[in-house]
Amino acid sequence: MVKALTLVIGACLLFCAGFLVRNDDGLMQRLGVVSSSDSAAADASSASSDGLASRIAEVESILQSESLDSYDLDASTSASVEAFLESTNDPFTRYYSDARYSSYVQSTTEEYPGVGVLFAESDGRAYALDVFEGSSAAEAGVEPGDFVVAIDGDRSQEWSATEAINAVQRQAGSTVVITWMRPENDDPSAGSEFSTSLECADYEEPNVSIDLLEESVGYIKLSQFTQNSDTLVRQAIEQLRGQGAQSFVLDLRDNPGGYLTKAVDVASLFIRSGVVVEIVTVDASTTKQVSGEVATDAPLVVIVNENTAGAAEVLAAALRDTERATIVGTTTMGKGSVQVTKALSFGGALRYTAARYKSPDGYSIDQVGVTPSITVSQREGNDADEQLDLAVDTAASLIQQS
């Protein structure tokens, strides 16, 4: 009992000390979020002497001087930190051991082909949001909605979307073994597992696709927010307008998000002025405004579903709150938060939620989602796209009203 207690106490102390060392704001800056880690660290260091760290230090001091047992520092650190993080009830919080973090950092600095799967994340767990046609994943029977259980046999912890993406980016022709779990009755916590051996190759699908539909409605599908999303959407608007489009349908279904700055830039193509999103951190609340470079004032309808997440929800909420668009579909995922990964002083890293998004009207997106103006579900077994059909009808009617 004393030995087990010593393991937990020693690692928790190290975790608490490491948690106070926060020194890398790179990801927050790329997402357009202003972080004040220096202020947070200062506040933490001046915390009450009766804090968790001091309590554990007292117990550890007694055990070190009086106990005959010893402990494995790395093993106890991992076990204790993971237990501590679980108590935060934040599904996106995660501890990376030194070895795992080293692999993570190395893989994020290089770009290699993948396995033809667009990964997203639900409650901290990676899953297949889309499977590219003709890919090894498609041939192996991987389907959208399958959750990642293990990669190359590693199931030591739940895989985040970022980890999964990095792990499958390898030299073309190499293979990666992924174990999946297919949910039963739409329950992501239960289902059957199966393994696939997938070949890495270059699989490209257009991030933006367009079509001119009936009644002079231009259709734009945006798959995710990448570095050039705003440029591609602007080009799509101009091309469709040249073909006679008088209103637009922007399809954000199954869009997992991406760069927040690009969501703001895409919003700027439709909204002339005002706030796009409010970003709430521990120390401050900041806003992002549109750029004023509008591409069209034509009527707009946006389609969303339960897989619309992150930056895509920010865009949908902004277009809804400014009354710039009619939102059609089902309530979005509610992934309105930003996670940051920071190195710890004793090795490894900590991933935690550092900011949350609010809509221009002050509505929280995280754990709530964006509610559509017109709710319509896609019924299983129905070949017709009911959500798209309603969106097109709505966009056509808005032409007549404008």
Side-chain angles (χ1 to χ4, degrees):
M1 178 66 72
V2 172
K3 183 176 181 180
L5 180 61
T6 306
L7 293 176
V8 173
I9 290 173
C12 279
L13 177 62
L14 288 171
F15 165 73
C16 293
F19 186 82
L20 302 180
V21 181
R22 295 158 52 169
N23 54 11
D24 180 7
D25 292 326
L27 177 58
M28 293 285 279
Q29 294 172 354
R30 289 198 296 274
L31 289 169
V33 178
V34 177
S35 173
S36 54
S37 59
D38 292 339
S39 174
D43 290 343
S45 63
S46 63
S48 167
S49 60
D50 190 37
L52 178 61
S54 64
R55 292 183 180 185
I56 294 177
E58 180 182 351
V59 176
E60 184 189 35
S61 176
I62 295 173
L63 293 177
Q64 284 182 337
S65 62
E66 300 182 20
S67 174
L68 296 177
D69 291 326
S70 61
Y71 58 87
D72 183 293
L73 186 57
D74 290 337
S76 59
T77 297
S78 297
S80 301
V81 172
E82 288 169 6
F84 182 65
L85 295 182
E86 186 176 350
S87 70
T88 67
N89 295 319
D90 179 358
F92 299 102
T93 301
R94 184 165 281 108
Y95 166 69
Y96 298 102
S97 66
D98 195 23
R100 190 161 193 145
Y101 183 57
S102 296
S103 176
Y104 171 83
V105 172
Q106 181 179 5
S107 61
T108 55
T109 60
E110 303 179 40
E111 293 186 3
Y112 290 118
V115 293
V117 174
L118 176 60
F119 289 98
E121 192 169 320
S122 176
D123 289 336
R125 299 172 60 201
Y127 71 96
L129 179 64
D130 190 19
V131 181
F132 301 164
E133 184 178 352
S135 67
S136 61
E139 294 174 355
V142 179
E143 298 179 359
D146 290 341
F147 281 85
V148 176
V149 175
I151 298 180
D152 287 336
D154 182 0
R155 58 171 71 216
S156 60
Q157 65 182 46
E158 292 182 344
W159 288 81
S160 67
T162 301
E163 284 185 284
I165 292 169
N166 290 333
V168 303
Q169 289 183 329
R170 306 180 183 184
Q171 295 283 0
S174 60
T175 59
V176 55
V177 177
I178 302 180
T179 301
W180 308 85
M181 191 272 288
R182 182 159 298 163
E184 295 178 355
N185 300 321
D186 295 326
D187 181 0
S189 64
S192 57
E193 292 187 9
F194 66 100
S195 294
T196 57
S197 180
L198 307 179
E199 181 179 352
C200 297
D202 284 316
Y203 302 107
E204 294 185 4
E205 283 201 348
N207 188 39
V208 173
S209 55
I210 66 173
D211 193 9
L212 183 64
L213 305 177
E214 58 183 286
E215 305 292 344
S216 300
V217 176
Y219 172 81
I220 303 173
K221 169 69 175 178
L222 178 59
S223 298
Q224 57 184 323
F225 288 90
T226 57
Q227 289 283 17
N228 63 345
S229 292
D230 56 324
T231 299
L232 294 176
V233 173
R234 180 181 289 276
Q235 292 173 350
I237 291 172
E238 294 174 350
Q239 182 176 342
L240 289 168
R241 190 166 50 196
Q243 296 174 4
Q246 299 179 45
S247 67
F248 295 93
V249 169
L250 178 61
D251 193 344
L252 297 179
R253 290 177 296 181
D254 301 327
N255 185 317
Y259 291 99
L260 174 64
T261 52
K262 291 305 168 181
V264 174
D265 290 341
V266 173
S268 299
L269 300 176
F270 302 100
I271 303 172
R272 288 198 169 274
S273 63
V275 172
V276 175
V277 62
E278 179 184 358
I279 305 165
V280 182
T281 64
V282 171
D283 303 300
S285 177
T286 59
T287 60
K288 296 296 180 182
Q289 309 270 340
V290 296
S291 65
E293 300 178 0
V294 173
T296 180
D297 290 316
L300 177 66
V301 176
V302 176
I303 317 177
V304 296
N305 66 3
E306 62 278 4
N307 290 324
T308 303
E313 294 180 276
V314 167
L315 175 58
L319 293 170
R320 177 198 63 187
D321 284 6
T322 58
E323 299 183 352
R324 178 61 184 87
T326 301
I327 313 298
V328 170
T330 55
T331 300
T332 61
M333 181 179 291
K335 172 56 174 72
S337 60
V338 179
Q339 281 69 48
V340 170
T341 301
K342 292 196 175 183
L344 297 169
S345 62
F346 54 85
L350 178 70
R351 180 198 192 205
Y352 62 97
T353 297
R356 289 190 170 89
Y357 300 141
K358 286 187 176 181
S359 73
D361 285 348
Y363 294 105
S364 176
I365 295 175
D366 198 48
Q367 304 299 319
V368 178
V370 179
T371 303
S373 313
I374 304 173
T375 299
V376 55
S377 301
Q378 184 64 39
R379 290 177 292 181
E380 292 186 12
N382 191 344
D383 293 334
D385 191 335
E386 298 167 283
Q387 293 174 331
L388 177 58
D389 291 343
L390 179 57
V392 172
D393 290 343
T394 303
S397 67
L398 291 174
I399 296 175
Q400 301 173 1
Q401 298 174 21
S402 61

